Amino acid sequence: MVLPHHAGDRALILYHCMIELKQGSRALGFATATEAWMTWLLANGHIGSYRLLRRKVGLASGRHTDFLLDIEIPSLRALDTALSSLTEKGPDAERLYEQMHQMIASVDVGLYRPYPDPTQRETVALV
């Protein structure tokens, strides 16, 4: 089912992370560390919002991982700015990032956007 994109919807980019933890890492410790890192990103204006999800009762098919982390970013420009600024994040942010990252065995990422988006609609409308 295709849902319509409403003109009032805000544009966003969804940075979708499928995460497996290292053997011996604790799920609640990972959730706490992720919340601390995401809170720092939010407080510094690098992201719009996030949510961490865990697979329910181990039910999944194919490549579905134990954790999903979805991070909303307002635009590709904001993503570029965030990534550039993160290279100079400082010792507190570095510690928060490492506390989360050290628990991750593997992560697969994808970048998504609402579809059809306003640009797509204008392009199609001009054809």
Side-chain angles (χ1 to χ4, degrees):
M1 180 171 143
V2 177
L3 298 175
H5 179 80
H6 300 286
D9 290 351
R10 62 186 169 97
L12 65 91
I13 304 298
L14 181 66
Y15 191 73
H16 179 78
C17 310
M18 298 171 49
I19 300 167
E20 286 292 344
L21 298 184
K22 289 180 180 175
Q23 192 72 20
S25 292
R26 299 208 175 255
L28 285 176
F30 175 69
T32 300
T34 300
E35 181 178 4
W37 175 232
M38 292 295 119
T39 298
W40 185 90
L41 291 171
L42 278 165
N44 287 278
H46 295 303
I47 64 173
S49 66
Y50 76 94
R51 67 181 177 176
L52 180 65
L53 304 165
R54 187 169 190 199
R55 185 174 53 207
K56 182 80 171 168
V57 296
L59 181 61
S61 63
R63 182 64 186 112
H64 289 91
T65 56
D66 197 20
F67 286 94
L68 295 177
L69 175 61
D70 285 335
I71 304 168
E72 288 187 6
I73 302 161
S75 66
L76 284 175
R77 182 174 304 194
L79 176 61
D80 185 50
T81 301
L83 292 174
S84 295
S85 67
L86 291 177
T87 60
E88 306 147 6
K89 56 187 174 262
D92 289 339
E94 186 72 32
R95 179 183 50 79
L96 293 173
Y97 172 80
E98 280 304 318
Q99 286 175 340
M100 177 199 68
H101 195 259
Q102 71 181 349
M103 295 184 223
I104 297 173
S106 66
V107 61
D108 292 315
V109 299
L111 202 57
Y112 293 85
R113 64 183 169 85
Y115 186 83
D117 60 22
T119 306
Q120 180 75 21
R121 285 184 169 196
E122 288 178 23
T123 304
V124 172
L126 294 173
V127 173

